[in-house]
């Protein structure tokens, strides 16, 4: 059993987002980036499957910056191999979307030849389509998103797919398949800084993809900071005075 | 302009999101076709009678799609697209919508746009507004047609249109190649006694809580309020609270008299589960957090100072 897990970097959304001139991208100069939280779940689930079934796990990323660090983290978390796809896009252009990256990732998957591909159900910037269903469509493999449990039995995969209102279904798929993971069976594991430091000099293998980025609608998109007028009435002050005001609001409404 | 709307349903009832998409499609003057996938012709007809306001309805009735099957339904949707040649395909931003829209876009070589909150006509096609980066930014996109979209729940207020429901036309795509099978349907386990859907007051904590060591603070405030304690998805994913306490798209949809929240950014997936609450008070140190656009009251006060202060205030005020 060979599992490929696809990892992406996302901006840290608790940071303040600013736009570049013209609104074609967020200003990436001072903002932090982190492993997409959904891909973090996918990484954990892949390692859990390795531990349960003896599967081999290869982590794949297609990041122009930060990809090596991302993949070293994956090694520290327990994956067996990593592969970084060289990202040839113009340095000044925004990072390619999930849609744009799909052909390059498909090429890498065909090289790695996994039985199962796992990635996060979404990334906060995949405006032009989530990655898992696009990979599956290109590979002509079955796919399920919003997955929270993954069980393997030979070449048959059973996943729990989550729906609104706490409903779910157990869905069986023939491998090879792609899943968009929402939640791993257990929370992502902690990795000690010393383990990461030990991997600092580990060479991350790279592949030069021959595929081109797919077209998306990024040229036709302009980003905007939302209009905040008409939003919440903000309560200012120290904790004690804010608590007093909230208490007053609750009393006015007969809630306490 | 023709729109094909993928109609979701549960327990024989058409989902509200189908009517939200209908109203959005009608706002751009589209002729609205609905597609139902269900297990038998009788169920298809029964669902079809609910689709007042649609101009045409087609259905795939096959045991393979008796319950939602991502692969088989994608085959059915693609067949409907090939038959009806819609200018825009609309799915809701739901599990099925995420499964179907991007896959359909690749297979039908159409552009795709997600998280859509509004559509307007422009000279070359449509202008679409979307949410991106967890709702912190909006995106305006010139959408060439034909295209595929996922539409955010609440993009329009659901309401049925007058008129008779159209007759249902049956489609018979070949679903025999599906490598995906639905084995079991799982309903929510309510044996714990927790029922967020019926709660009058909810205190919800988000990722900023930081870990289980801070849970006693939150539990004390929930107790002082006589509120149910709930968590956003990252809190549940991290194992800090059990799944039964999750509010949001993949948790419980709630409509309490009070929804007090701390450290929850207000991603669209969370808003979907709580935005109908009667009173929303949000505590978040990030003044750009999208929750402040939905909340009635907000504060950027440090939650770890405010939570104990509010607990103390409530306890002294209640005694």
């Amino acid at each position: 059993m060979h599992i490929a897990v696809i990892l992406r970097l996302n901006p840290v959304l608790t940071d303040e987002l600013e736009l570049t001139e013209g609104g074609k991208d967020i200003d990436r100069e001072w903002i932090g980036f982190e492993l997409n939280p959904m891909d973090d779940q996918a990484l954990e689930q892949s390692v859990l499957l390795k531990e349960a079934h003896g599967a081999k796990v290869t982590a794949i990323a297609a990041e122009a910056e930060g990809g090596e660090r991302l993949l070293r983290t994956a090694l520290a978390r327990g994956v067996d191999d990593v592969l970084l796809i060289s990202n040839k896009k113009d340095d000044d252009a925004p990072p390619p979307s999930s849609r744009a990256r799909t052909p390059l990732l498909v090429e890498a998957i065909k090289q790695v030849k996994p039985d199962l591909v796992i990635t996060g159900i979404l990334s906060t910037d995949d405006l032009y389509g989530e990655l898992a269903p696009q990979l599956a469509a290109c590979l002509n493999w079955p796919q399920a998103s919003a997955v929270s449990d993954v069980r393997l039995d030979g070449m048959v995969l059973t996943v729990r797919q989550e729906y609104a209102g706490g409903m779910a279904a157990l869905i069986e798929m023939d491998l090879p398949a792609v899943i968009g993971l929402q939640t791993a069976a257990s929370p992502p594991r902690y990795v000690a800084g010393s383990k990461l430091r030990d991997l600092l000099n580990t060479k991350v293998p790279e592949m030069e993809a021959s595929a081109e980025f797919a077209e998306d609608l990024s040229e036709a998109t302009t980003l905007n900071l939302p209009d905040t007028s008409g939003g919440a009435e903000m309560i200012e002050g120290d904790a004690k005075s804010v608590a007093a005001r909230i208490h007053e609001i609750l009393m006015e409404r007969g809630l306490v | 302009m023709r729109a094909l709307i993928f109609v979701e349903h549960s327990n024989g009832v058409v989902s509200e999101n189908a009517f939200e998409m209908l109203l959005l499609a009608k706002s751009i003057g589209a002729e609205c076709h609905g597609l139902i996938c269900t297990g038998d012709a009788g169920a298809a007809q029964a669902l079809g009678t609910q689709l007042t306001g649609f101009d045409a309805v087609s259905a795939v009735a096959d045991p393979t799609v008796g319950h939602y099957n991502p692969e088989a339904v994608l085959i059915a949707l693609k067949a409907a697209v090939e038959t009806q040649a819609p200018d825009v395909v609309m799915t809701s931003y739901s599990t099925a919508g995420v499964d179907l829209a991007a896959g359909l876009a690749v297979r039908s070589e159409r552009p795709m746009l997600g998280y859509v909150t509004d559509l307007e006509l422009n000279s070359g096609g449509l202008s679409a507004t979307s949410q991106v980066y967890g709702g912190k930014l909006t995106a305006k996109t010139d959408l060439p047609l034909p295209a595929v979209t996922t539409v955010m729940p609440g993009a329009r207020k659901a309401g049925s249109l007058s008129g008779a429901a159209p007759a249902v036309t049956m489609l018979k795509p070949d679903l025999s190649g599906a490598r995906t099978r639905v084995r079991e349907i799982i309903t929510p386990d309510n044996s714990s006694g927790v029922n967020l859907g019926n709660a009058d007051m909810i205190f919800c904590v988000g990722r900023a809580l930081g870990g289980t060591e801070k849970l006693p603070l939150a539990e004390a405030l929930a107790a002082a309020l006589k509120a149910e304690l709930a968590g956003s998805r990252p809190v549940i994913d991290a194992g800090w609270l059990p799944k039964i306490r999750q509010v949001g798209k993949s948790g419980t949809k709630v409509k309490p008299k009070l929804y007090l929240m701390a450290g929850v950014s207000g991603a669209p997936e969370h808003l979907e589960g709580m935005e109908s609450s009667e009173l929303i008070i949000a505590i978040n140190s990030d003044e750009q957090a999208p929750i402040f656009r939905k909340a009635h009251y907000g504060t950027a006060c440090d939650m770890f100072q405010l939570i104990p202060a509010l607990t103390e205030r409530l306890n002294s005020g209640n005694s």
Side-chain angles (χ1 to χ4, degrees):
Chain A
M1 176 62 56
H2 189 173
I3 298 167
V5 58
I6 314 292
L7 305 178
R8 294 161 287 180
L9 287 171
N10 267 188
V12 177
L13 290 182
T14 48
D15 288 358
E16 184 177 349
L17 297 184
E18 292 183 12
L19 301 176
T20 55
E21 203 175 322
K24 284 295 175 190
D25 192 18
I26 55 171
D27 187 342
R28 293 169 189 268
E29 185 78 25
W30 302 109
I31 196 167
F33 287 85
E34 62 180 359
L35 172 59
N36 172 22
M38 303 291 192
D39 293 350
D40 198 1
Q41 299 285 331
L43 174 59
E44 184 60 32
Q45 187 61 60
S46 302
V47 176
L48 289 171
L49 288 171
K50 170 187 169 175
E51 290 166 350
H53 299 279
K56 176 186 175 183
V57 180
T58 300
I60 302 173
E63 300 290 341
E65 280 184 39
E68 291 193 352
R69 181 171 52 88
L70 181 65
L71 291 173
R72 286 191 186 109
T73 303
L75 284 168
R77 292 266 294 269
V79 308
D80 302 287
D81 277 335
V82 292
L83 182 61
L84 180 62
I85 303 168
S86 299
N87 190 323
K88 298 171 290 189
K89 200 158 185 177
D90 177 3
D91 282 350
D92 293 332
S97 65
S98 293
R99 172 108 189 191
R101 287 182 216 201
T102 296
L104 283 70
L105 290 165
V106 166
E107 188 177 329
I109 290 164
K110 286 180 175 170
Q111 179 178 309
V112 169
K113 296 185 176 63
D115 303 293
L116 173 63
V117 174
I118 307 181
T119 191
I121 174 179
L122 59 84
S123 140
T124 54
D125 55 358
D126 54 9
L127 187 58
Y128 315 112
E130 293 80 6
L131 183 59
Q134 295 185 79
L135 291 174
C138 292
L139 293 161
N140 191 27
W141 292 359
Q143 182 274 157
S145 288
V147 165
S148 69
D149 190 13
V150 186
R151 302 171 202 173
L152 280 167
D153 183 8
M155 287 302 281
V156 175
L157 173 76
T158 303
V159 300
R160 176 182 165 119
Q161 186 171 50
E162 302 282 343
Y163 309 110
M167 297 288 292
L170 292 183
I171 293 180
E172 193 177 273
M173 295 191 283
D174 297 339
L175 293 175
V178 181
I179 56 178
L181 201 87
Q182 181 165 294
T183 313
S186 58
R189 65 196 64 192
Y190 171 75
V191 177
S194 58
K195 201 167 179 182
L196 287 169
R197 279 194 296 278
D198 290 346
L199 290 163
L200 265 180
N201 295 320
T202 302
K203 183 151 177 56
V204 171
E206 286 193 38
M207 73 168 272
E208 194 81 36
S210 57
E212 298 288 328
F213 288 110
E215 279 190 29
D216 60 22
L217 296 171
S218 52
E219 289 291 321
T221 296
T222 306
L223 299 174
N224 298 287
L225 290 166
D227 178 10
T228 53
S229 61
E233 179 184 325
M234 297 301 285
I235 307 169
E236 311 289 346
D238 61 13
K240 206 170 171 183
S241 59
V242 173
R245 177 66 185 129
I246 292 175
H247 187 223
E248 191 177 79
I249 293 164
L250 299 180
M251 285 181 47
E252 285 165 7
R253 304 243 179 173
L255 294 170
V256 293
Chain B
M1 171 81 67
R2 177 180 291 173
L4 176 63
I5 295 169
F6 177 70
V7 176
E8 294 185 46
H9 53 89
S10 177
N11 295 321
V13 178
V14 169
S15 300
E16 213 169 61
N17 58 36
F19 297 103
E20 294 172 355
M21 289 188 284
L22 171 70
L23 291 175
L24 182 59
K26 287 287 182 188
S27 75
I28 53 167
E31 175 188 294
C32 296
H33 290 221
L35 174 69
I36 298 166
C37 289
T38 189
D40 62 74
Q45 295 294 345
L47 289 162
T49 60
Q50 299 170 39
L51 294 179
T52 54
F54 279 76
D55 299 294
V57 175
S58 52
V60 174
D62 188 297
T64 315
V65 292
H67 182 275
Y68 171 69
N69 174 322
E71 188 183 14
V73 170
L74 179 56
I75 295 169
L77 180 58
K78 183 165 180 283
V81 168
E82 286 167 357
T83 308
Q84 298 171 15
D87 299 291
V88 58
V89 180
M90 300 169 86
T91 69
S92 181
Y93 178 54
S94 61
T95 296
V98 170
D99 273 339
L100 298 172
L104 176 70
V106 170
R107 286 172 187 263
S108 60
E109 299 182 343
R110 289 169 172 236
M112 138 119 204
L113 193 69
Y115 317 112
V116 170
T117 57
D118 201 9
L119 292 172
E120 294 170 46
L121 287 169
N122 70 11
S123 53
L126 293 172
S127 172
T129 305
S130 304
Q131 294 180 335
V132 68
Y133 292 113
K136 284 189 96 166
L137 300 179
T138 58
K140 199 94 170 172
T141 304
D142 291 329
L143 184 61
L145 300 176
V148 180
T149 61
T150 53
V151 177
M152 295 303 292
R156 285 288 186 280
K157 192 170 168 57
S160 56
L161 297 176
S162 58
V168 176
T169 305
M170 303 307 291
L171 301 177
K172 295 189 185 305
D174 179 9
L175 306 180
S176 61
R179 298 150 291 184
T180 304
R181 301 162 291 279
V182 180
R183 288 301 186 208
E184 186 183 337
I185 310 301
I186 301 165
T187 52
D189 175 12
N190 292 328
S191 59
S192 64
V194 176
N195 189 340
L196 295 179
N198 287 344
D200 276 342
M201 295 203 274
I202 292 174
F203 174 42
C204 181
V205 290
R207 186 207 304 254
L209 185 71
T212 49
E213 67 278 8
K214 297 286 175 53
L215 263 182
L217 278 180
E219 287 165 342
L221 177 53
L225 269 173
K226 300 184 177 61
E228 286 284 1
L229 183 62
S232 62
R233 186 196 48 75
V235 168
I236 309 304
D237 287 354
W240 302 342
L241 285 173
K243 175 83 179 168
I244 194 74
R245 292 192 181 272
Q246 183 181 349
V247 170
K249 183 182 199 64
S250 52
T252 305
K253 287 192 181 181
V254 300
K255 199 179 171 182
K257 291 176 181 165
L258 170 66
Y259 195 80
L260 176 67
M261 55 207 298
V264 182
S265 65
E269 296 81 4
H270 190 79
L271 296 180
E272 186 183 332
M274 47 61 71
E275 62 188 342
S276 300
S277 303
E278 288 179 31
L279 175 64
I280 302 169
I281 302 177
I283 304 163
N284 198 306
S285 57
D286 175 11
E287 294 190 33
Q288 229 187 14
I291 191 56
F292 291 132
R293 301 201 299 274
K294 283 285 176 190
H296 301 98
Y297 294 93
T299 178
C301 191
D302 183 315
M303 63 187 272
F304 298 112
Q305 292 181 27
L306 180 53
I307 290 173
L310 184 55
T311 305
E312 188 184 337
R313 180 86 191 190
L314 286 161
N315 284 336
S316 58
N318 290 341
S319 61

